[in-house]
Amino acid sequence: MNIDKTLLKGSVILFVTLGMFNFLNFIFQFSMVRLLSIADYGMLAALFSIIYIFGVFSESIQLVITRYTSSENDPGRLKNIMKRSIKKAFIFSSLIFAIYLIISVFLSAFLKIPYLLLAFNGLLLFYFFLIPVTRGVMQGRKAFGSLGFNLVVESALKVVFGVLLVVLGWGIYGAIGAVIIGGAIAFVFSLLSLRDITKSQEKPLSTPRIYRYSGPLFVIVLIITAFYSVDVLIAKIVFSEVMAGYYAIAAVLAKTIFWGTQPISKAMFPITAEDADKKRPSGKIYRNALMIVFLLIAVALIIFYFFSRLIITIYAGEFIAEAASILFYLGVGCALLSFANLNLLYHLSRAELKRYWLFGIFIVLEIALLFYFSGSLVEFSLAFISAAAAFLFGTIVLLKE
């Protein structure tokens, strides 16, 4: 199979930079699991699961901006869409933050997390609404180097400030505060990377179908994000704090498979979107992306299968049999989710996604399976695999032309 050069170049750049980004995130998690107690780390994992759900706004906005800037070369028009989007993003984030503060009153009792900690966590909403605008422009312009550099800056700052603030005694507040600081500085850097746009003469850009396109994209990203986040939250509910912490350790490691394949879909999206705008076929691009994702997943699963004990020991600082026993299972579930994600993003890039609301069924199925099969961590993990397999099968059947 001939590999598309643009896809390969973008995938390599993002694979390297996102690899550094994910590695630094791993160092952050590694540091937190060593500096915090198991119970506190389980709480932090639950907070990050909420953060991942916030991420639905970030990913949706970034993909919409990517979609509408992928075939636009005029800096003035790009400035117009970026300026309008940042203004709307700030308004929406303020509104949702106010709603979140009210909901957190109930979440605090349900998840057994202090209200002030949940409220502090909510400040990340502003980050999740603002930075995807500038990163979406970078991705749409296929400026994968600038995009990757911005991600690395964010994660590096998160590690430095995370360790510093936790050591100074801020605990979980320090971990969340580091994420806020890293995101704020990364946003400033993203504006600097787009100087040619911010300094250009603004020109109006018409985007008549942007809201109609945003609907299905938001729903799909919400479903994907919820799918790989809800398991940690349910584990926090059905298991003891220590057992939930064990599950969180394995889950964070397993989800590196999903995050590790993101460079491929991020490189594919603007290419197939531009092909769709110009009425060009893009089946070859999708098959290339599928092949690369398959190879990456195969390597990861082999490592998880043979070295789960070593991986858990290095990550947690001690061997935790409960976490090692489920690492491969969770890896399989995340691999299935990665294929489903690639399939959905390909159809989204070409604006071909219909009956998108039906995919919500699979979240309901996942929640039902996880609550019902919660007798042990292994049983819980097998339920996650079953839900992910059903989700992948659904993307194949429901998207079949």
Side-chain angles (χ1 to χ4, degrees):
M1 183 184 296
N2 293 325
I3 302 293
D4 180 85
K5 292 182 179 179
T6 305
L7 174 67
L8 182 60
K9 180 181 178 181
S11 296
V12 169
I13 292 173
L14 287 179
F15 185 77
V16 172
T17 54
L18 276 175
M20 295 172 64
F21 172 76
N22 289 324
F23 175 73
L24 289 168
N25 283 336
F26 172 82
I27 295 298
F28 175 79
Q29 294 286 348
F30 177 84
S31 302
M32 295 305 102
V33 80
R34 295 297 184 92
L35 295 172
L36 300 172
S37 68
I38 291 293
D40 280 350
Y41 183 75
M43 186 182 297
L44 181 64
L47 286 166
F48 278 137
S49 292
I50 297 172
I51 290 173
Y52 298 149
I53 294 173
F54 285 169
V56 68
F57 299 110
S58 181
E59 191 68 17
S60 300
I61 294 168
Q62 185 166 329
L63 288 175
V64 168
I65 299 298
T66 298
R67 181 70 178 77
Y68 279 87
T69 57
S70 60
S71 54
E72 179 58 65
N73 297 316
D74 190 308
R77 292 193 178 96
L78 289 173
K79 180 177 181 178
N80 179 256
I81 191 172
M82 190 169 75
K83 183 177 178 181
R84 286 187 291 145
S85 298
I86 288 176
K87 181 179 179 180
K88 291 178 181 179
F90 182 77
I91 294 172
F92 277 114
S93 58
S94 300
L95 176 62
I96 293 178
F97 178 63
I99 297 172
Y100 169 82
L101 290 177
I102 297 172
I103 295 174
S104 292
V105 175
F106 306 98
L107 280 178
S108 177
F110 190 60
L111 296 175
K112 295 171 283 187
I113 296 175
Y115 176 78
L116 287 179
L117 186 56
L118 281 166
F120 188 53
N121 193 51
L123 292 175
L124 286 165
L125 271 168
F126 293 96
Y127 159 79
F128 281 116
F129 270 86
L130 293 171
I131 202 164
V133 175
T134 50
R135 285 179 175 170
V137 174
M138 293 180 200
Q139 188 177 349
R141 300 178 86 190
K142 304 177 189 64
F144 299 124
S146 297
L147 175 60
F149 174 75
N150 190 260
L151 290 165
V152 171
V153 167
E154 177 192 333
S155 57
L157 290 170
K158 183 168 67 176
V159 171
V160 172
F161 283 102
V163 172
L164 177 63
L165 293 176
V166 173
V167 168
L168 289 175
W170 286 43
I172 301 177
Y173 285 92
I176 300 298
V179 179
I180 294 172
I181 294 170
I185 297 176
F187 179 66
V188 174
F189 268 81
S190 69
L191 291 173
L192 293 175
S193 297
L194 298 170
R195 286 190 299 272
D196 63 315
I197 293 176
T198 57
K199 292 182 178 180
S200 65
Q201 181 67 37
E202 185 176 350
K203 300 176 184 177
L205 175 65
S206 177
T207 54
R209 296 183 299 167
I210 192 167
Y211 292 109
R212 188 171 66 181
Y213 178 73
S214 300
L217 194 150
F218 178 83
V219 171
I220 290 301
V221 173
L222 174 61
I223 291 169
I224 294 171
T225 305
F227 203 98
Y228 73 74
S229 303
V230 74
D231 62 320
V232 174
L233 292 175
I234 294 176
K236 186 80 168 57
I237 295 169
V238 300
F239 297 118
S240 68
E241 289 189 351
V242 172
M243 291 298 286
Y246 291 159
Y247 181 84
I249 288 171
V252 168
L253 289 168
K255 285 166 188 174
T256 58
I257 289 181
F258 181 81
W259 297 323
T261 57
Q262 289 301 291
I264 316 307
S265 59
K266 287 184 179 294
M268 176 196 72
F269 193 88
I271 300 172
T272 52
E274 184 178 6
D275 285 344
D277 288 340
K278 297 180 179 180
K279 309 299 181 184
R280 297 190 304 231
S282 55
K284 174 188 172 183
I285 304 295
Y286 174 71
R287 290 190 296 272
N288 286 176
L290 189 63
M291 180 184 67
I292 298 171
V293 167
F294 176 81
L295 292 174
L296 291 175
I297 285 174
V299 172
L301 289 179
I302 289 172
I303 293 173
F304 279 1
Y305 184 81
F306 289 104
F307 302 103
S308 59
R309 182 187 183 102
L310 178 62
I311 293 169
I312 293 295
T313 302
I314 293 174
Y315 183 65
E318 60 180 307
F319 175 62
I320 301 174
E322 293 87 347
S325 67
I326 61 174
L327 180 59
F328 177 74
Y329 297 139
L330 294 179
V332 171
C334 290
L336 295 171
L337 182 59
S338 297
F339 286 121
N341 176 64
L342 184 70
N343 200 18
L344 287 168
L345 288 182
Y346 171 69
H347 287 276
L348 275 172
S349 70
R350 298 188 62 81
E352 295 174 343
L353 201 60
K354 299 177 181 179
R355 299 177 294 179
Y356 56 89
W357 60 89
L358 292 176
F359 291 101
I361 296 171
F362 299 104
I363 295 296
V364 177
L365 175 64
E366 180 191 19
I367 293 172
L369 287 173
L370 291 177
F371 270 112
Y372 187 78
F373 295 101
S374 56
S376 68
L377 290 182
V378 172
E379 186 178 283
F380 192 80
S381 302
L382 291 175
F384 179 71
I385 291 178
S386 300
F391 188 28
L392 175 58
F393 180 75
T395 64
I396 295 170
V397 173
L398 294 178
L399 297 177
K400 187 175 182 180
E401 297 180 3

